[in-house]
């Protein structure tokens, strides 16, 4: 070949020798993870000038960067940089600024002698281990550019730790803290529904060995009724471990209880990890369920008006304009009609069929199913508008008396439950405390509900008459929607009361009812002489009976089994439930008397018998029965920015 033709051939093929190989898979390029665009020019060090990355420990970077961005402007215009700019808000401050600093070390790696120095893989792996749960909590995939194997280097290859400076500053700050300063840090601000869901999910993920979240249904407008559970074996009922629930925000504009339960969830998780002995004992011996918002639709309306503009009633009801605390089956009237019948059982009263022909809110439906599905022992519903604890009955025993003392057979036990909360609250039982126009100083902050004011269809009465559960109503203060600056003082006033109430479920007696072969008997009844209210055993024959100190005669029986009685003495200052087990012998069934004493279980099991409200279970299905696929709430941050949508952040892509 002549020399001139050889030079021409070399000049034509020069760019082919210099072009980097195309390593980006077409699918990854579609998702925006990489680019096959040919990069021209020799990489050189340049000044680091990315606004959200300017606090890194170095001042010079290099382009093209690891992700293939050729210039600073291209890096700033990408979804990766946008994510780093909003990640603090998306994760509600968790793992901040760690995520941003490590992400910046990929977008703008340090440069020395025109050579890039990659961030350390060990730093990335530790970050993902500690923070992956925060992304899962908001249904966001781990960002592709934080792939520890792909974009990071090992110590042997030569790397730098982008968090070294932050760790040094944190260690210095920790060494200067006095031991008296609080260990658990809570942000005392109001949370939107989206923030509440995210925070509860992150809390459960952070303490996944003792906590998990689950939904009991959806509101009228489709919002989750999300419960967070704490137990040393989350998701499982353990024999003889009592179950307790706390419910907030039943009335959407009574917002303080909602916030207190969110703070309580964070506190339980954090203090357990910090080895707080009291909290560890509580969680290891109790199964705690927290429904922070029973009425998220009402809260949405109240929150749109805010603290200063919200009225006394706006947002109180659900989206169907139903007051949820008047929407439960009125079993109290059924009790009053039959209380003089010698053989009529006042526990586990079935729901009248006529109830299902009325308007049942999806929130009420979900909570009723929840109450029936777990063997709850004790409960509190947090409200606002007064400073008092009320207890059943809430419906007056005389139809025309609006304020009439209407006790349950467990009057003394209910009074003790109410006293537990009121006395542990810093001001509720104080005679000098303002009472929002009413006066409860004579009873030191507690009152029978019907004596205060009477109403039918309440949740507390339903708990008592339909299940084993004893529920009180806690009115947290005169202001239903206090200002944000009041949230921390209110937490201080209520924290000890909440913890004391949770601990109080370990009073009275507990035990297991078994047959002669040692098998637990489900549905056996435990009666206490002098208290016309029985409790029934759970799936494996275990039971709990809240009782005050004193001497009690207990009787256990079940259909087809003998009756066994025991005398039990509960001393004062007993800090745990006494253990009383029963062994029953099989006997022939006498149909006449037993038909009165043991009405057919089918009547109690009849729930939504005509399937009128079955649709509440299918709210997530489209017409074809396929689960609705919706973009997560944070997607708008990116879809409205004008950049290519970061599909790599969607978990199902």
């Amino acid at each position: 070949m002549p020399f001139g033709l050889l030079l021409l051939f070399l000049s034509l093929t020069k760019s082919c020798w210099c072009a980097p190989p195309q390593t980006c898979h077409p699918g990854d390029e579609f998702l925006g993870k990489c680019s096959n665009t040919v990069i021209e020019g020799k990489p050189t060090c340049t000044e680091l000038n990315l606004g959200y990355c300017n606090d890194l420990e170095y001042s010079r970077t290099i382009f093209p960067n690891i992700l293939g961005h050729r210039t600073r402007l291209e890096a700033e215009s990408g979804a990766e940089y946008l994510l780093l700019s909003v990640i603090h808000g998306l994760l509600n401050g968790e793992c901040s600024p760690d995520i941003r600093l490590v992400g910046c070390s990929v977008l703008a790696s340090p440069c020395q002698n025109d050579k890039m120095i990659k961030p350390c893989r060990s730093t990335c792996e530790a970050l993902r281990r500690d923070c992956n749960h925060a992304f899962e909590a908001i249904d966001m995939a781990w960002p592709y550019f934080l792939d520890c194997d792909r974009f990071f280097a090992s110590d042997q290859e030569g790397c730098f730790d982008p968090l070294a400076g932050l760790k040094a500053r944190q260690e210095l700050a920790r060494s200067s803290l006095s031991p008296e300063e609080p260990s658990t840090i809570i942000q005392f601000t109001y949370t939107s529904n989206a923030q509440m869901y995210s925070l509860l999910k992150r809390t459960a993920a952070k303490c996944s060995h003792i906590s998990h979240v689950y939904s009991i249904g959806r509101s009228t407008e489709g919002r989750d009724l999300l419960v967070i559970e704490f137990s040393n074996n989350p998701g499982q009922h353990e024999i003889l471990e009592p179950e307790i629930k706390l419910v907030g925000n039943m009335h959407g504009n009574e917002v303080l209880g909602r916030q207190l339960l969110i703070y309580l969830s964070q506190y339980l998780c954090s203090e357990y990890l910090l080895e707080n002995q009291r909290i560890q004992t509580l969680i290891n011996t109790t199964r705690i369920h927290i429904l922070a918002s029973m009425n998220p639709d009402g809260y949405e309306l109240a929150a749109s008006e805010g603290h200063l503009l919200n009225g006394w009633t706006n947002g109180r009801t659900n989206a169907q304009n139903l007051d949820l605390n008047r929407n439960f089956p009125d079993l109290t009237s059924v009790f009053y009609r039959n209380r003089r019948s010698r053989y009529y059982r006042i526990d586990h009263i079935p729901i009248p069929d006529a109830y299902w022909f009325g308007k049942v809110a999806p929130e009420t439906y979900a909570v009723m199913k929840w109450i029936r599905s777990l063997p709850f022992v004790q409960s509190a519903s947090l409200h606002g508008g007064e400073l008092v604890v009320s207890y059943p009955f809430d419906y007056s025993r005389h139809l025309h008396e609006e304020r009439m003392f209407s006790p349950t057979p467990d009057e003394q036990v209910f009074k003790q439950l109410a006293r537990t909360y009121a006395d542990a609250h810093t001001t509720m039982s104080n005679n000098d405390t303002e009472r929002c126009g009413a006066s409860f100083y004579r009873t030191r902050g507690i009152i029978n509900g019907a004596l205060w004011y009477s109403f039918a269809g309440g949740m507390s009465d339903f708990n008592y008459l339909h299940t084993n559960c004893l529920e009180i109503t806690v009115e947290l203060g005169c202001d239903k929607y206090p200002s944000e600056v009041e949230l921390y003082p209110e937490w201080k006033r209520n924290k000890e009361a909440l913890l004391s109430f949770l601990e109080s479920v370990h009073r009275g007696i507990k035990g297991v009812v078994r047959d002669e072969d040692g098998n637990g008997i489900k549905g056996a009844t435990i009666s206490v002489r002098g208290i016309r209210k029985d409790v029934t055993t759970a799936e494996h024959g275990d039971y709990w009976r809240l009782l005050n100190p004193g001497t009690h005669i207990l009787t256990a029986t079940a259909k087809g089994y003998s009756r066994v009685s025991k005398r039990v003495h509960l001393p004062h200052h007993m800090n745990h439930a006494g253990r009383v087990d029963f062994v029953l012998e099989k006997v022939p069934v006498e149909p006449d008397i037993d038909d009165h004493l043991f009405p057919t279980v089918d009547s109690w099991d009849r729930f939504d018998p005509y399937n009128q409200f079955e649709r509440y279970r299918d709210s997530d299905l489209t017409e074809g029965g396929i689960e609705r696929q919706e973009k997560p709430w944070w997607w708008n941050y990116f879809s409205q920015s004008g950049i290519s949508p970061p599909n790599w952040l969607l978990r199902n892509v």
Side-chain angles (χ1 to χ4, degrees), residues 65-124:
N65 63 13
I66 301 176
L67 304 181
H69 299 140
R70 292 167 293 181
T71 64
R72 175 185 63 83
L73 183 61
E74 189 174 333
E76 285 183 332
S77 303
E80 301 88 351
Y81 186 72
L82 177 58
L83 175 64
L84 296 180
S85 71
V86 299
I87 197 65
H88 177 88
L90 293 181
L91 300 184
N92 204 27
E94 191 166 0
C95 294
S96 181
D98 307 52
I99 292 284
R100 180 179 59 80
L101 293 176
V102 174
C104 282
S105 73
V106 175
L107 262 67
S109 303
C111 180
Q112 192 172 34
N113 299 326
D114 290 337
K115 291 185 178 179
M116 179 186 298
I117 305 174
K118 288 186 176 182
C120 291
R121 184 172 295 126
S122 58
T123 301
C124 173

Side-chain angles (χ1 to χ4, degrees), residues 471-490:
E471 180 175 275
I472 61 171
T473 300
V474 181
E475 301 282 345
L476 294 165
C478 313
D479 197 345
K480 294 185 176 185
Y481 200 143
S483 64
E484 210 163 60
V485 296
E486 283 297 314
L487 293 179
Y488 176 58
E490 287 293 351

Side-chain angles (χ1 to χ4, degrees), residues 390-395 402 404 447-455:
S390 69
Y391 57 87
F393 286 124
D394 285 321
Y395 190 40
E402 285 295 319
M404 184 177 189
I447 192 171
N448 171 259
L451 183 59
W452 182 16
Y453 67 93
S454 174
F455 65 91

Side-chain angles (χ1 to χ4, degrees), residues 239-241 506-514 540-545 554 566-571 574 576-582:
I239 293 180
L240 293 176
E241 184 173 87
H506 294 279
R507 67 158 54 108
I509 58 170
K510 64 181 179 180
V512 182
V513 180
R514 295 185 174 94
H540 301 291
D542 48 340
Y543 75 92
W544 304 262
R545 185 54 165 105
L554 311 177
K566 293 186 178 183
R567 185 184 183 93
V568 177
H569 177 72
L570 296 177
M574 194 171 177
H576 63 275
R579 177 77 181 266
V580 183
D581 294 339
F582 294 90

Side-chain angles (χ1 to χ4, degrees), residues 599-619:
T600 57
V601 178
D602 291 341
S603 59
W604 189 87
D605 285 341
R606 281 173 67 82
F607 185 80
D608 191 11
Y610 309 106
N611 295 325
Q612 289 180 268
F613 301 95
E614 186 71 20
R615 65 184 183 278
Y616 291 157
R617 303 181 187 181
D618 302 326
S619 56

Side-chain angles (χ1 to χ4, degrees), residues 201-276:
K201 290 178 181 178
R202 287 202 309 271
T203 300
K206 181 179 178 182
C207 292
S208 58
H209 59 304
I210 59 163
S211 179
H212 90 295
V213 293
Y214 62 94
S215 174
I216 62 171
R218 289 188 179 271
S219 68
T220 303
E221 295 180 344
R223 296 182 174 90
D224 257 323
L225 303 178
L226 201 66
V227 176
I228 184 167
E229 173 199 339
F230 290 93
S231 167
N232 61 348
N233 188 15
Q236 299 292 326
H237 170 70
E238 295 185 76
I239 293 180
L240 293 176
E241 184 173 87
E243 310 224 12
I244 185 171
K245 60 184 169 71
L246 299 174
V247 179
N249 206 204
M250 187 183 199
H251 294 140
N253 64 333
E254 296 170 12
V255 301
L256 179 57
R258 166 190 169 111
Q259 292 303 136
L260 291 179
L261 294 184
I262 293 172
Y263 304 151
L264 178 65
S265 302
Q266 295 174 273
Y267 180 83
L268 292 175
C269 170
S270 177
E271 290 297 306
Y272 192 98
L273 296 179
L274 291 169
E275 299 183 351
N276 180 321

